[in-house]
Amino acid sequence: MSTRLLDREFLDFCLHDWLAVGEIAERATVDAVLDLSETLARERYLSHFKAGDTQEPQIGPEGVTVHPEVKAAIEEYGGLGLFGAGFPEDLGGHGLPFTVTSASFAWFAAANIATSSYAMLTVANARLIAEFGSPAQVDAFARPQIAGRWLGTMCLSEPQAGSDLGAVRTRAEREGEDPLGRRYRLTGSKMWISGGEHDVGENIVHLVLAKVALADGSLPEGTAGLSLFIVPRVLPDGLRNDIAVAGLNHKMGYRAIPNCLLAFGENGGATGWLVGEEGQGLRQMFMMMNEARISVGLGAAALACRGYGHALGYAQERLQGRGAEGASVPIMAHPAVRRMLLAQKALGEGALALCFYAARLVDAGDAESAALLALLTPVVKTFSSEMGLEANAMAIQVHGGYGYTRDFDVEQVYRDNRLNPIHEGTTDIQAIDLLGRKLLKQAEGFAILKARIAATLAAASNGFADQADALKAVWADVEAGLEMLRESDAALEVATPFLFAFGHAVVGWIWLDLALSARGKGERLEQGTAAALGYYAACELPRVNAWLACCAAGTEVLEVDPGWM
C-alpha cells in the first residue's frame, strides 16, 4: 500500500515557483516548516488514522473522552508552536504567511482529517477574537489558544436551525460587566458542534451565536439580531461553566473528533462575554466561517490527493490481465485505469493548487486580492469537496473489490471526505453565495478574475494553444450563461449547476497557469502538469456546458407533483 500523503515536489512547485511565496517568506523557513509538518503528520497523525476511526469518542462519568493518540498528537502540535504559526509575534505567534500555514495544514489533513480539525477550529476561533475582541478578551481567551493550551469551537447551528441562522433561539440575558466586558447568561442548545467537549487541552472556548432578549422577553427575528459571545468551558475563577453534552452524533467520517449536541444554561445560564457590540454576531462570525470554508476545501483537496497517491501506488503494483506478450501486467497498463488516475490528478491536485492560490490572495492583503478571494471562496470550498469526493470514488474503483474494504485506506478517506460538501455551508448555500452575492450583485471580483484569465490565455499561445482555445470558449459560455441568469427571475434556483460550471472553468484556468509555470522545472513536473492540463481540457471542460444547459432548462423540469415521485 502506498504511503504517499501529498506529492512534495508538486507542493513545493506550487508554493515556490507558481505562487512565488519567497516574496513573503524565506525559502529555508518555508521548507523547514513543511519538513516538520510532514514528519509530525506521519509520526503522530497518520499513526492513529484507523484507530481514531474505529474507537470513537465516548461519553463517560468524566465527560467525553477521545482516543489517547489524538491528545498526544495535538499536544505535540502545540508544543512545536504550530497553533501560533500564522499569528503575529506580539500575540505569541511566529508570523508565517497564510500560504505557508495552509501548506503545513495540508499535511495534517491528508494524514488525519479528524485530528487536524481541532487545530483548524482553534486557530480560526483565536483569529476572530484577536480581530474583534477587547484587549482583555484577547489576553484571556485568544492567547491560550495560540499557545495550544486551550482549544476552540464555533457554535452556530441548533436542532431546529441548521443553515437558517435567523431561526437561532439561543437566548442571552444581560447580567452586568466585568474586566472581560459585558457579561450575559446564555440558555439554549447547539447542534453539530465539532470538538464541543473532550479531554484534550485545559479548556475549550466556545464562540456562540445567540440573540439578546428584548425588553418584553421575546427574541428578535432574523439574522440582524444575532450577537456573538465567548463562552468558555472553564470560567476564569476555575469553576465549570453551565455547559453540558446532551449527546454525540455518530458520523460516517471524521470520527476522531467528537460532534456534540451542547446544552447551555440548564442550571441557571452559561456565562458568556459579548464580542464587540450587540447585533454584530453574524458579520463577525463570517470571518471565522470564511476561513473555515477555505480550510475545509483544503482538507478535501488533501484527501483527494492522498486517495490519488494510494490509487497510483496500487495501480503500479497490482498485476491483473495480460499484456501483448501474454504476461501479467500492472493494472496501470490498462487505459481505463490510466483515465481514472489522470482524472484524480486533475481534480485533486487542481483543487489543492486552487486552495493555495486562495491562501496567497489572503497574504496579498490588497483590495483587488480581497475582492477576488471573496469571489473564489465558495468555489474553493465546493470544487474541492465535491470533485475531491469524485476523485476518492475513483481511487476506490482503481482498487476494485479491495477498495471498499477497511483493509485499504481509500475506504475511510472517502467516508471522511463525504462530510466536506456539508461542512461550513452546504454546496447549495455556496452556490447562492457565488451567484446571488458575488456575481449578480457585485462585479468587481469577476472583472479581476477575467483579467487574470486573459493574461494566462495570452501567455499560452506558444505551446498550449489548443487548451487555451478550449478554455477561452468555455469562459465565453460561462459569461453567456451568467448574462442569461441576470435576466431570469429564478436564477438562484439553478445556482448549484452554475457553481459547478463556474468552478470547473476556474480550475481549467488554474491548470493552464500551472502548466505554463512548470516549463523548465524538470521533466516530471513539466510533463505531469501538461498531461493533467491535456486531460482536463479534453475531458473535464466539456462538463461545463452540460451544467450550463441545466441552468438554461430552468426550474420547469422540477415542477412535478410529489405524488408522482
Side-chain angles (χ1 to χ4, degrees):
M1 184 186 300
S2 171
T3 60
R4 188 172 92 173
L5 296 176
L6 301 172
D7 184 340
R8 178 61 185 270
E9 184 181 11
F10 180 75
L11 191 154
D12 286 342
F13 158 69
C14 284
L15 267 59
H16 295 301
D17 299 304
W18 183 49
L19 295 175
V21 78
E23 296 175 358
I24 52 176
E26 293 289 337
R27 175 150 193 162
T29 301
V30 175
D31 291 344
V33 170
L34 296 184
D35 289 342
L36 172 66
S37 301
E38 181 178 3
T39 299
L40 182 59
R42 288 189 178 280
E43 293 180 353
R44 288 295 193 182
Y45 282 64
L46 185 61
S47 60
H48 67 277
F49 171 68
K50 284 189 172 297
D53 182 69
T54 56
Q55 301 172 43
E56 296 183 61
Q58 301 291 324
I59 297 181
E62 302 301 320
V64 176
T65 58
V66 300
H67 193 283
E69 288 191 58
V70 172
K71 183 175 182 180
I74 293 171
E75 287 177 346
E76 187 162 351
Y77 189 95
L80 292 170
L82 290 173
F83 279 98
F87 287 88
E89 293 181 4
D90 61 4
L91 287 178
H94 301 296
L96 291 177
F98 188 62
T99 312
V100 178
T101 60
S102 295
S104 167
F105 177 76
W107 286 106
F108 297 98
N112 194 318
I113 190 72
T115 300
S116 69
S117 296
Y118 291 87
M120 183 269 281
L121 290 164
T122 299
V123 168
N125 181 304
R127 204 184 316 273
L128 185 149
I129 295 173
E131 177 71 19
F132 298 110
S134 68
Q137 290 172 345
V138 171
D139 289 342
F141 301 112
R143 287 183 183 274
Q145 295 186 81
I146 294 168
R149 295 188 292 109
W150 296 5
L151 300 179
T153 75
M154 54 193 300
C155 299
L156 286 72
S157 298
E158 298 180 1
Q160 84 292 342
S163 301
D164 181 9
L165 295 179
V168 160
R169 307 312 294 169
T170 296
R171 169 186 295 266
E173 302 275 357
R174 299 181 185 91
E175 191 185 46
E177 192 166 347
D178 62 30
L180 291 175
R182 283 179 280 178
R183 192 175 62 250
Y184 294 71
R185 290 281 178 177
L186 276 70
T187 55
S189 297
K190 291 294 180 178
M191 186 59 142
W192 313 115
I193 309 306
S194 294
E197 175 59 30
H198 49 72
D199 57 345
V200 181
E202 303 168 13
N203 201 354
I204 301 173
V205 179
H206 301 291
L207 284 174
V208 182
L209 278 182
K211 293 181 175 179
V212 179
L214 301 173
D216 62 1
S218 66
L219 295 180
E221 297 298 325
T223 59
L226 290 169
S227 300
L228 186 62
F229 300 89
I230 299 170
V231 188
R233 177 176 66 179
V234 179
L235 295 167
D237 61 7
L239 296 177
R240 183 78 178 234
N241 208 347
D242 188 4
I243 307 169
V245 181
L248 294 179
N249 299 305
H250 300 283
K251 305 164 294 176
M252 69 183 291
Y254 276 72
R255 290 178 174 172
I257 184 169
N259 189 274
C260 305
L261 169 60
L262 296 180
F264 292 85
E266 290 193 330
N267 295 296
T271 299
W273 286 270
L274 179 69
V275 179
E277 300 295 328
E278 292 181 3
Q280 295 183 354
L282 189 59
R283 181 183 67 83
Q284 295 164 339
M285 187 56 83
F286 261 116
M287 176 183 175
M288 187 173 183
M289 286 191 290
N290 283 330
E291 180 172 340
R293 285 169 178 171
I294 294 173
S295 296
V296 167
L298 179 57
L303 289 176
C305 290
R306 178 176 171 187
Y308 166 55
H310 284 312
L312 180 62
Y314 185 84
Q316 291 169 334
E317 298 168 1
R318 171 67 170 170
L319 299 178
Q320 191 78 45
R322 303 289 173 179
E325 304 299 325
S328 296
V329 295
I331 61 173
M332 183 79 170
H334 302 307
V337 173
R338 289 200 301 276
R339 178 188 60 80
M340 288 189 285
L341 292 171
L342 262 177
Q344 290 174 70
K345 178 180 178 67
L347 296 175
E349 292 185 350
L352 190 66
L354 173 64
C355 293
F356 290 153
Y357 187 86
R360 191 66 174 87
L361 292 174
V362 173
D363 288 325
D366 57 272
E368 178 177 299
S369 297
L372 183 54
L373 177 66
L375 174 70
L376 292 180
T377 295
V379 178
V380 168
K381 197 274 182 182
T382 300
F383 182 92
S384 301
S385 59
E386 292 281 8
M387 297 304 135
L389 193 64
E390 278 196 20
N392 288 143
M394 285 183 276
I396 291 175
Q397 194 74 11
V398 168
H399 282 74
Y402 291 109
Y404 51 71
T405 68
R406 293 183 182 178
D407 300 311
F408 286 76
D409 287 355
V410 289
E411 178 267 345
Q412 184 184 331
V413 169
Y414 180 90
R415 284 191 289 104
D416 282 342
N417 217 356
R418 184 58 189 87
L419 278 64
N420 287 321
I422 296 173
H423 278 164
E424 304 310 327
T426 65
T427 295
D428 302 294
I429 289 173
Q430 305 303 319
I432 291 171
D433 180 33
L434 174 72
L435 186 59
R437 296 189 184 96
K438 310 296 174 55
L439 290 172
L440 296 183
K441 292 184 179 179
Q442 303 172 18
E444 182 183 3
F446 190 41
I448 295 166
L449 177 64
K450 286 168 59 178
R452 297 197 179 191
I453 292 170
T456 300
L457 290 171
S461 58
N462 181 19
F464 297 111
D466 290 344
Q467 292 86 351
D469 287 345
L471 183 65
K472 185 177 181 180
V474 159
W475 273 107
D477 292 336
V478 169
E479 286 197 62
L482 180 59
E483 290 306 310
M484 174 195 69
L485 292 176
R486 290 187 192 280
E487 305 299 321
S488 172
D489 295 328
L492 295 185
E493 296 179 23
V494 293
T496 300
F498 183 82
L499 169 57
F500 282 125
F502 192 88
H504 246 61
V506 166
V507 175
W509 161 59
I510 292 287
W511 270 117
L512 181 58
D513 213 56
L514 286 167
L516 289 169
S517 296
R519 287 172 166 171
K521 303 304 179 184
E523 185 176 6
R524 179 175 179 268
L525 266 174
E526 188 168 353
Q527 296 301 319
T529 52
L533 170 62
Y535 169 83
Y536 200 95
C539 301
E540 293 294 331
L541 285 184
R543 300 173 70 181
V544 171
N545 279 308
W547 284 311
L548 293 175
C550 183
C551 295
T555 58
E556 290 81 0
V557 294
L558 305 179
E559 294 175 359
V560 56
D561 190 313
W564 301 343
M565 297 177 72

